[in-house]
Amino acid sequence: MPKPSKPETSAVKTPSSKSADSHPLDGLTGGAFSAPTSGERTARIREWLTTEPSAEQMAEVYKDLANRDKGAAKPLKEKLDEAKRAKNQEAVAAEWAEKGQALLALKKLNLADALAWQRDAAKAGAPLSREPLAGLKAQLTDRVKTIEDLQHRTQVQREAAVLIAQRIEVLSTKSWRDAQSAWDALRADVTHWQTQADEIAQDANWASVDPKFPPLLEASRGQLLAVWEAFQGALSLTVAAAEDTAAPLPAVPVWADELRGARGSPRAADGAAGEQPARAPKAKIDPAVLKDMREKSTAIVQAALAKLEHEVTEGHGKATPKVAAELRQVLKDNIRNIDNALEAAAHAALTSAGELEGWQRWRADQIREELVAKAEALVAKPLGGRKQQEALRAMRELWKTSDQGGTPNHAMWKRFDDACNEAHKVVEAWLDKVKEQSEAVKAERRVLIDEVLAWAEANKGNTDWKHQIRSLNGFVEKWTAAGHLSEKAFAEIQPQWKAAMDQADTALKAARADSLARRKAMIEEAQVLGAEPQLHIDAVKHLQQRWQQEAQGVPIERKQEQKLWDAFRKPIDDAFQRKTVEREKAASTLGEHDRLVVVLSKALDAANASGDVQKIRAAMADLEAGLRGQYVPPAPVAAAAPAVGDAAPATTSNSEENQAPAHEATAPAAPETIADAAPAAPASSDSAEVAEASAEAPAEEAAPAPSAAPPKPAKPVVAMRGDDRPGMRKAEAAPAGRGGKFGERKDARPGGGKPDGRGNRPADNKFEPYRPERESRFSERPAYEERGPRLGDAAFRAQREAFEHAQQALRKLSEQAHGEVLTHLLTAWEKRDPALLPDAQALGKLVTPATRSAWTKALSSAPKGDAADTLLRLEIAAELPTPAEHLSARRMLQLVLLTKRNDPTPAQTWGEDTAKVLAAPHDAAHVRRLQSVLKALIKR
């Protein structure tokens, strides 16, 4: 086709454009400049960088490529920056390596300079983790540790020299034989001390220690050697004097006195000092006194030792030297009266105290270095504001604490103070900002105070108190949200605000005071109204309206208003409550009918307590008859002759009237039937109370009868023509009953519709024509049941509770009887005795005589068959769960029953299934299942 020939034509013309070899750097970079896309150029540049070109070549390529494609030149830029950083780090590393080597070459190295080298090198960005700086750092660290160790060893040697001198001094106060026995150990200790001191002095880094340590070591050496040489000379002279009585005595008084005692000569004056009188002989100390002295000395030394050990344990470097000096003095005064173990413990504690003192000085320098580093870090990266201020304050406090545990370091303090001052500039800027904000807030609050004063002046005559309260609350909210002030500034401006608010609130306070006075007066009026015997409702309503008007006119605080309202409402509520109580008291006075119901309720409660079903049912029937006013008291066994002859007919007539409706009423059936038996009379005591109450009731109920006109006696009906035609039946007088519903017409008929004037017959309506057959249906509707007079609250509650208790008692007795029936049935199965099978009345109406006969036959025959499947059918009929081990069999049986749709269901054949179970052998595993099944089936 002719169209594809276009690209070929354009491809022929490409030699006129720039070729790939036209750029001089294209061959160097592997064709990066001739690549068609930026991605390919970047890839070729990365491949070229793997060949590690020189920095000059990379710079030349980057210079030309950056103008063409910055994305492709980015790897070159990164590589050049990395090379630049490496070159700079090499220069820095060479510089700090030279400084580190110069420090190591110094014969006397300053510890501060060694520590500053590492810190300053890190600040300058020198690569301390790479060689040669890493090796120099390790060498300087080791040398610093060596110098610090030399200083610590010097302090220990000083304390050791003091302790050895103390031991020599103590031996001079004891027997010379003890000193002679300890001479070898002392000589070894002195020799070892000198060896260690020489090692310290000959160390290569000894010149770098603090200038105060070499004089300390030399002074300790000189003091120890002087004491040791004097001790050796005195001991050798003492030994010679002990061997030769003519030899001179040593200068040690204790040893000289011991030698005189050994020679048997009294203590005499020296030949050169013959003028001095002879010393008195040493008095012999009582053992009891000596024991007391030793105990006191031991207690004193132990107390000083415990104090020193406590200070050493707590690490109190400032107090430890003082306590150690006290122990030395106590040990010197009481060394003769303590044992060797306590003396050794005291010397060990003094050694530890010397080590602690040296450690405290070393630790103080470490803490100072950390504080200097933190202060310089705050300069480099400030926290800002209050945090910076608190951090600086805390670091200065720590510096003061470190000065207490070690010697001051002025050079380090100068660095720390300069760093803190530099970091405090941030705090100063923050304080200036806070000051400006405080001034702005103060000015805003002053403007708000002026606004409140202006508002108070403008609303002097305003009586809209709700508006004033809203305005004042708005001012308070503005004041609260105005911003933070310092305590001093707030204390200055707060009184001005309170004065302005008091001035603005003056009218409202006066109105509230007047309102409170009026409300208190209304409270007094309410108390007077409430105290009156006759409560005046109109006066109370008027007073309450006045209170509401006052509350709406002048609002006060909610809490105070609620208290006043409670005080105002209390006397009125008490008056209404008193009236309600009187009304309830009058209503609670039992009438004769209520009294009869209460007595019958008590008789029913007594029957419930007896647990006799017949008594309970008889008492329930009596109470129901009493509720309808148809109760007839039982006739007394031996009635006395009437006192007045005319009273007998009246009583007889009254009783006949009461008995007349009793034949028509029937007592409702109990919820559960246990046994069909005739109801019995109540208990004798309750019957007497009921008879007495019923005798009083008709007498008072018949009292108002004479006031009404006596009814005319009805003529006896001889014959009456019956007419059974629909609609022609004469209306009979409906029995007296309760009134109809509200709005019901008294002339309404059961058939409904309007009379049309033709025999008082309902007319047709627009929905359906008149049908006379409905007349007979509605005319046969039973009359309303006579419910008796209305009961009072006490009588109503008494009869309701009595009926509830009776129902519960009957239900409980029914359950007990049901359980006994099941027990007898299972016992008959176990013993296979049909005589033990309960009768049909006990088994209930669900067990027919045929079913019971089948059960009797099953118990009479020999046991046979298996009851497993039959029990499953019974459990299905009773809808009870099956034990887990029989679930599979039950599911299988249910599937089989689904296939036999025309067969009777287990619920229909449970009687026959029970007979099959009773015919099977007795099994203890089946007893529980059968009992559960029959408990549900028989009770239904």
Side-chain angles (χ1 to χ4, degrees), residues 914-929:
T914 305
K916 293 180 182 179
V917 175
L918 295 177
H922 181 269
D923 189 357
H926 295 164
V927 171
R928 185 65 179 172
R929 296 172 64 188

Side-chain angles (χ1 to χ4, degrees), residues 611 749 932:
R749 287 168 179 76
S932 302

Side-chain angles (χ1 to χ4, degrees), residues 240 359 474 514 540 561 807 852:
W359 178 86
D514 296 340
V540 171
E561 186 171 3
Q807 298 293 346
R852 186 180 182 281

